[in-house]
Structure formats: C-alpha cells, structure tokens
Amino acid sequence: MAVPRSRVDEIRNCITLTEYGVRNVHTTDFPGNYPGYDDTWSQKRFEKNFRINIINMDDSTVEFDMIGIDCAIANAFRRILLAEVPTMAVEKVFIYNNTSIVQDEILAHRLGLIPIKADPRLFEYRNSGDEEGTEIDTIQLQLKVKCTRNPKATKESSDPRELYVNHMVYSKHIKWIPIGNQADHFGEAVIGPVHEDILIAQLRPGQELDIVMHCVKGIGKDHAKFSPVATASYRLLPEITFLEPIEGELAEKLKKCFSPGVIAIDVLEGKKLARVANARLDTCTREVLRNEELKHKVKIGRVRDHFIFSVESTGILPAAVLVSEAIKVMMSKCQRFLNELDLAQME
Amino acid sequence: ESSVSRKTAFVQAEGADESCVTYVMHDEDHTLGNSLRYMIMKNPEVEFCGYSITHPSESKINFRIQTKGGLPAIEPFRRGLTELNDLCQHVLNTFEQVYSRSFSTFGKD
C-alpha cells in the first residue's frame, strides 16, 4: 500500500479543515473501498463503540453527544425531530364574531402557531374528510373576549391599560372545552397553550372575539405549526492538533485565533507552551490558517462520528422525550416497509 | 410488474434480473433514503445502492439496489431495514438509559 495506515485512518475518521476548503467530508468506510479494513456492518461493533452523553438537560432543552454513528442516521433523527414527530395544533378556527382590527384569516393563522400543551401520544390522527372530530382526535378550545371601558379609570388618564378592560388578548384567554369523556381522561387544566403571554390581538371598547378552535394531531412536514421543536441541530466535535510544540509569543498569537477557552497556555520553567484546553468550544473559524507562522504548525478538523446535538422543545413535550419519540418514528418507518415486504412475499 | 401495494411498488427494468431492482418508496425522503442507503452500502454483497427524489412536489423516492452474483435485491433490502431497525433500537435503549441516569443530575424534567 502506498498510503500509510495512519493517513487512511485520518481520511476515514476526520474531516479536515484547510485554508480554502473542507476535505474528507463524505462517508467512505464501505466494504471494498479500503483494503485491509472490515467495513461490513456489524451490530456488535456498533454497540461496542456507540455512546450517548447528556451534557445539559431541562424541561425545554437537551444537549447531548451521540458518538459512533454515521451522519446519515444522525441527520435522520434531526430531520424527524423537525418534521415528523407529531404534536397537536389548531387546525380549524370557527369565528362566530371578530370585530377586532385583525382580519379573520390572519387571526386564524396566529392561533394555529400557538403551541398547545397536550400529549400527542394520547390522540389519533383525524380521518380526512371528518369535519366534526371526536374525543380521540380533537381538542376543542374557546377564545371569547370582549373589550370594555374601565369605569374606575381616572379622568385624565391616557394609558390604555387603565382605560380599558381586556384590551390585550393573550393566549391565557384560551380555554379548553373537553369533548366527551376528555375531562375525566385528562383532568382539568392540563390542556391549553404552553405559554400564557402570547399576544393574539389588541381590542378597543366594543370590539370582541368569539372563536372556537379544533386542534388535531399532525406533523411538521404538513405544516410548521406541528413541529415540536424550536430548533433541533447538531455539530461535529472540533479537533485541534499541533504538528509541533507552539511556544512563546506564537502561543499567545495562537490563543487569539480561537474562541476563549479553547487554547490554554502553560508556563514551564519560564517558557510559554500552548495546549488545547477544550476543543468543544471552538467555532471552527479557521482564523489560525490565515496566519503564515501558524498555519503549518496546526491541523484543525472535526471528528466524523461525534455529534453534539442540541434540541429545544416548544414546551409541548420535554426535549428528551422528543428525541426518544424521533427514534421511535425512525423504527416505525423500517417496520412499515418490512411489513410491506412480508405482505408482498405472501402474495 | 408486481405492483404489490400503494406504499412500496417494485419496478424492475426491462430484461434485467431480480438482482437489479428499483423500489419506489412512497411518502419517504432523505430521512429514510439516506439512512437505508448507508446500511445497504455496508453490505459487501451489494454492488450499488442509491436513491433519488423524483421531483420536489412528489413525496416518493426511487431506491435502487444492484447486487453481486445474482443475489435477489430484496435480500439486502430486507436486511438493511432490519439492521437499521436494530440500530435504532440500540440508540433508543442507550438514550433512555442515559436519560434516566442523568435525571438526578439535571433535576426534574
């Protein structure tokens, strides 16, 4: 072999950032591509190398590392989070009265985008053509607000907050009307908007809104209002290697090329020596490659199979639950086609 | 010729044998297409595997498999789906394990 093994490993495992481009972007570890490597799929090998670490987690966000997986599959999870994990959202808006300045269709669109806190796993998809909806596929919400003058307002006041009652319509004014036995099933005050302070419309005395909404189950592919995440993204772990020791003033220059905290400088016997302290903080700017003195001393790249996921929920379900759901969606896709194949072979 | 169901239709090119098959997968895109392509490419018996999205306004993909030595293409197709499913199961198990373990670290959820 003309190319040494270490070089081949580098092509296989590391994406290299160069001054004018990014190299080794694509996955190439398929059988037959590299003599001497066994690239056949092995579940055992995958399970041995695969790791997940949760870096940070609360109700609405989760940040975790997924290590030892190909980008095709990591990307599938990300795509499913954005577009294929179901949620409940307002789909039909019945406007009985709207004398506000907001037009009906704009109002309906605004209502659709309000995240509704209801566990979508407890509901079914509504059949196409069904206009009525039942307790298993529909949540009914009501928004009934009328603006009036505040009789207690002082005469010289010009502040709308003092002059009027109900002149700001917020998502907290939306009330859940249980259908059938939903009240027993879910209990009071479980279903409703996630946030209570979303401004829907502004009214003036005499104006009113009288609206009934139907929420149905859907996926982000159909309409973005069904997307359960505010963002779901990943980045690859940055990797910085020094090809030779970087000392003295050059170490200081190097430190300035990276984000704060990436490079640390140790002082050994009065001599400054640069060290990679935390590559994770690097933004991969490639600033270092613009420096003539430094560019041949440093190699920067990204680890191909180390994904730093960041998932931010809209608040309907905890972010970590969404990740689990996304993986289950992926599995159901496989199951669906396996069932199809079984059916096809029986015929 | 044997268009079995609405979801997966099997299109076999004229004169070709069962080792070169294009599957039409309805309601799918890069999400399953690229993942499944990766899994099937990992199979040494597969000569070629690729997919294309026919048109942005059609929600289906053409998924092509060509095998070595006349092996029916359905075998790596089925194996790819099974392996992808097993992979996801392991990812799910690992995630839920780590999730329940970090529950105490990051407080309630």
Side-chain angles (χ1 to χ4, degrees):
Chain A
M1 247 193 296
V3 187
R5 184 120 180 162
S6 62
R7 176 83 186 99
V8 177
D9 279 332
E10 190 194 312
I11 292 171
R12 287 165 56 97
N13 304 327
C14 194
I15 292 163
T16 314
L17 302 178
T18 64
E19 198 174 354
Y20 296 109
V22 186
R23 272 197 262 140
N24 311 327
V25 180
H26 300 285
T27 305
T28 51
D29 57 342
F30 295 114
N33 278 357
Y34 298 101
Y37 285 86
D38 177 19
D39 285 323
T40 306
W41 177 255
S42 150
Q43 178 78 12
K44 220 165 139 190
R45 200 182 315 139
F46 167 71
E47 288 184 13
K48 204 179 121 222
N49 295 327
F50 183 73
R51 271 176 299 141
I52 288 179
N53 302 321
I54 294 185
I55 307 297
N56 211 339
M57 178 169 75
D58 60 35
D59 252 0
S60 60
T61 61
V62 62
E63 192 186 331
F64 62 95
D65 286 15
M66 193 181 266
I67 306 154
I69 198 163
D70 186 68
C71 84
I73 293 149
N75 191 40
F77 294 147
R78 183 193 64 84
R79 285 172 63 94
I80 292 172
L81 276 166
L82 290 169
E84 291 186 66
V85 174
T87 64
M88 303 295 286
V90 173
E91 171 77 3
K92 293 271 188 289
V93 179
F94 303 93
I95 300 178
Y96 295 104
N97 199 1
N98 170 24
T99 47
S100 78
I101 198 164
V102 188
Q103 296 93 331
D104 290 0
E105 60 273 28
I106 307 292
L107 193 63
H109 181 245
R110 287 177 73 77
L111 290 167
L113 294 171
I114 297 171
I116 305 296
K117 198 168 183 69
D119 192 334
R121 292 168 292 185
L122 305 174
F123 290 89
E124 300 290 333
Y125 291 100
R126 192 191 268 197
N127 293 322
S128 58
D130 184 359
E131 296 293 321
E132 291 295 309
T134 61
E135 61 195 34
I136 56 157
D137 59 27
T138 306
I139 296 169
Q140 201 170 42
L141 301 173
Q142 191 182 40
L143 177 63
K144 202 171 177 174
V145 184
K146 194 175 163 120
C147 177
T148 52
R149 257 175 222 292
N150 182 8
K152 285 178 223 152
T154 50
K155 231 183 181 141
E156 59 276 12
S157 170
S158 62
D159 182 2
R161 279 171 298 183
E162 206 189 330
L163 284 172
Y164 314 127
V165 179
N166 279 341
H167 80 293
M168 304 275 259
V169 183
Y170 288 107
S171 49
K172 69 179 169 206
H173 292 114
I174 296 175
K175 295 286 172 262
W176 175 42
I177 309 169
I179 310 173
N181 63 355
Q182 280 181 348
D184 304 331
H185 254 270
F186 300 103
E188 205 66 48
V190 178
I191 292 175
V194 174
H195 311 279
E196 57 171 37
D197 57 348
I198 300 171
L199 183 65
I200 297 167
Q202 290 200 43
L203 305 180
R204 282 298 175 265
Q207 296 183 344
E208 68 170 297
L209 292 176
D210 185 1
I211 292 168
V212 171
M213 290 160 264
H214 281 180
C215 305
V216 300
K217 188 169 170 174
I219 56 171
K221 224 191 215 177
D222 173 46
H223 193 293
K225 70 186 174 185
F226 292 114
S227 184
V229 292
T231 63
S233 64
Y234 60 70
R235 63 193 179 100
L236 292 170
L237 180 76
E239 193 177 44
I240 302 160
T241 14
F242 298 156
L243 300 172
E244 55 187 87
I246 298 173
E247 296 162 330
E249 276 314 295
L250 215 49
E252 289 290 348
K253 273 188 189 162
L254 181 84
K255 190 178 175 180
K256 286 206 179 96
C257 289
F258 291 93
S259 307
V262 176
I263 304 291
I265 294 177
D266 297 330
V267 181
L268 287 171
E269 295 158 8
K271 234 166 118 190
K272 286 177 179 169
L273 188 68
R275 161 176 69 86
V276 179
N278 189 358
R280 177 186 278 269
L281 297 174
D282 186 26
T283 52
C284 292
T285 55
R286 289 189 268 175
E287 173 70 13
V288 68
L289 300 180
R290 297 179 67 220
N291 188 310
E292 289 300 324
E293 288 171 287
L294 284 168
K295 73 178 182 190
H296 300 296
K297 295 189 165 75
V298 184
K299 213 177 72 195
I300 53 177
R302 303 191 131 192
V303 184
R304 187 190 296 285
D305 64 349
H306 188 132
F307 296 87
I308 304 171
F309 268 85
S310 155
V311 179
E312 202 178 304
S313 165
T314 53
I316 295 170
L317 287 174
V321 174
L322 291 177
V323 177
S324 293
E325 288 303 307
I327 301 167
K328 286 179 198 160
V329 169
M330 187 71 182
M331 287 167 71
S332 67
K333 279 174 182 288
C334 298
Q335 289 297 328
R336 194 187 104 195
F337 284 102
L338 282 170
N339 292 340
E340 298 271 339
L341 287 179
D342 287 340
L343 279 173
Q345 256 174 5
M346 276 198 296
E347 279 178 29
Chain B
E1 146 241 331
S2 61
S3 171
V4 183
S5 70
R6 205 176 54 83
K7 293 297 181 191
T8 10
F10 305 83
V11 180
Q12 225 163 299
E14 200 70 31
D17 53 48
E18 58 185 357
S19 68
C20 303
V21 182
T22 300
Y23 297 90
V24 181
M25 301 169 88
H26 289 274
D27 297 327
E28 292 302 338
D29 51 20
H30 298 290
T31 306
L32 187 68
N34 198 21
S35 310
L36 190 59
R37 187 196 78 110
Y38 172 77
M39 295 309 287
I40 293 175
M41 293 262 285
K42 278 283 197 184
N43 186 339
E45 289 165 312
V46 172
E47 176 89 63
F48 172 86
C49 181
Y51 72 97
S52 70
I53 292 178
T54 53
H55 188 276
S57 61
E58 287 182 318
S59 58
K60 67 177 180 192
I61 57 173
N62 286 343
F63 197 94
R64 174 107 180 135
I65 303 174
Q66 288 172 216
T67 61
K68 291 174 188 163
L71 179 84
I74 195 151
E75 284 181 27
F77 188 51
R78 183 188 291 276
R79 186 167 145 195
L81 284 164
T82 315
E83 284 171 345
L84 185 56
N85 190 58
D86 295 347
L87 177 151
C88 291
Q89 184 66 61
H90 181 71
V91 175
L92 183 65
N93 293 346
T94 312
F95 185 79
E96 294 197 328
Q97 226 171 59
V98 176
Y99 174 54
S100 55
R101 235 189 293 134
S102 19
F103 219 68
S104 50
T105 323
F106 299 108
K108 96 156 198 78
D109 162 6

